[in-house]
Amino acid sequence: MMNAVPEESELTDAAREVDGVTDVFPAPAALADPPETVAAVLAHDLAALSKVYVDEETDAVEALAHVGVDRSRPAPETGRAAAEAIAARFGDGAGVHVTVRVTRIS
């Protein structure tokens, strides 16, 4: 049985802590939440949208992150490490699907 779903901010911190990850960007699905998007824009807090997005509406929990990486190691390796760090925050990980997309390489 899966542990409680971590807060998106905790998952975002997990991704940012990975060596080679330079930033976390808004996932398109996160921007599809109109109230949250409007609130962030009105508060001039676009960083609030730059987080790992969690969808609990399906049988399995989906976590999606768009990250920027540096050139310290291959981008797929950094993306994989970020996915593993995010998945680890779910505990045993049963029923969790994590997708990390490298959006920028700097």
Side-chain angles (χ1 to χ4, degrees), residues 2 10-11 15 18 20 28 31-32 36 45-46 51 58 60 62-63 67-69 80 82 90 100-101 103:
M2 187 177 71
E10 181 182 346
L11 300 174
V18 171
L31 297 175
E36 186 175 359
D45 186 14
L46 298 182
K51 62 185 177 187
T58 60
E62 304 272 339
V67 299
V69 300
R80 190 174 312 109
F90 283 90
V100 173
R101 296 194 173 118
T103 304

Side-chain angles (χ1 to χ4, degrees), residues 14-83:
R16 286 192 169 123
E17 291 168 1
V18 171
D19 287 337
V21 172
T22 58
D23 207 350
V24 177
F25 300 104
L31 297 175
D33 182 359
E36 186 175 359
T37 302
V38 170
V41 170
L42 291 176
H44 301 288
D45 186 14
L46 298 182
L49 300 174
S50 298
K51 62 185 177 187
V52 174
Y53 173 75
V54 177
D55 181 2
E56 300 179 67
E57 300 297 319
T58 60
D59 291 337
V61 175
E62 304 272 339
L64 173 61
H66 285 233
V67 299
V69 300
D70 63 24
R71 297 176 189 268
S72 62
R73 61 181 173 170
E77 187 178 312
T78 304
R80 190 174 312 109

